[in-house]
Amino acid sequence: MASLASRIVDAAYLEGDFVLRSGRRSRYYLDKYRLTTEPSILRDIGRALATRLPANTQRVAGPELGAVPLATAVSLATGLPSVLVRGAAKSYGTERRFEGILHADEHVVLIEDVVTTGGQAIESARALRDSGANVSLVLVVVDREEGAAEAMADAGFRFEALFTSTTLGLRT
């Protein structure tokens, strides 16, 4: 895992003044697209995430856009089907919030990339739960350690991260 951590930092770590999805400002940014567009890193992240799935997992889910390649990589590593979680139901065609097949009572693991407060992941997990899925776990690549774990617990979701800002050497 140390090698993968190093590769993630080398590929995705940027310094500067960034506004995060949460609205917070940060001196660093982990560019998830630099992880999900590099085949060898994406493959290895997918394999690492796959080892963390609970035994009863029946499906993996990834919120659009950034986590979709991650959920696909986990799906390929495990043979489990995946589902894409839209931010909102589309207004045309099937008008679905989820793409792919999602059955009520399935045990689903939501895969997410980088979380700060966890707001988007919680919204996606709630949408899955509201549709009848059992969200067994919210599994992320990197937790920035800025409240996501606590927010997940408060929302009633089990939460794990492959890496944290601390384990990646990014916290001072």
Side-chain angles (χ1 to χ4, degrees), residues 8-93:
I8 286 171
V9 172
D10 289 347
Y13 177 76
L14 304 172
E15 290 184 346
D17 182 27
F18 301 97
V19 176
L20 306 176
R21 181 181 194 126
S22 64
R24 294 182 182 181
R25 294 194 89 81
S26 177
R27 65 172 179 76
Y28 75 91
Y29 186 74
L30 288 171
D31 187 340
K32 62 191 168 210
Y33 298 111
R34 290 184 175 200
L35 302 177
T36 60
T37 59
E38 180 58 44
S40 67
I41 295 174
L42 178 60
R43 179 195 62 228
D44 293 347
I45 290 172
R47 289 176 178 165
L49 290 167
T51 68
R52 298 287 197 80
L53 299 182
N56 66 346
T57 304
Q58 296 171 287
R59 189 169 305 273
V60 295
E64 68 175 355
L65 172 71
V68 171
L70 295 167
T72 301
V74 173
S75 182
L76 289 169
T78 62
L80 293 170
S82 63
V83 64
L84 177 156
V85 182
R86 291 183 176 279
K90 62 183 185 175
S91 62
Y92 57 91

Side-chain angles (χ1 to χ4, degrees), residues 56-61 83 102-103 106-110 128 133-138:
N56 66 346
T57 304
Q58 296 171 287
R59 189 169 305 273
V60 295
V83 64
L102 180 64
H103 300 291
E106 277 189 315
H107 292 276
V108 177
V109 172
L110 179 72
L128 289 163
N134 296 308
V135 180
S136 307
L137 175 65
V138 176

Side-chain angles (χ1 to χ4, degrees), residues 112-134:
E112 189 56 282
D113 42 46
V114 180
V115 294
T116 303
T117 61
Q120 179 60 48
I122 290 169
E123 181 183 318
S124 295
R126 282 183 175 147
L128 289 163
R129 184 177 60 196
D130 292 349
S131 75
N134 296 308

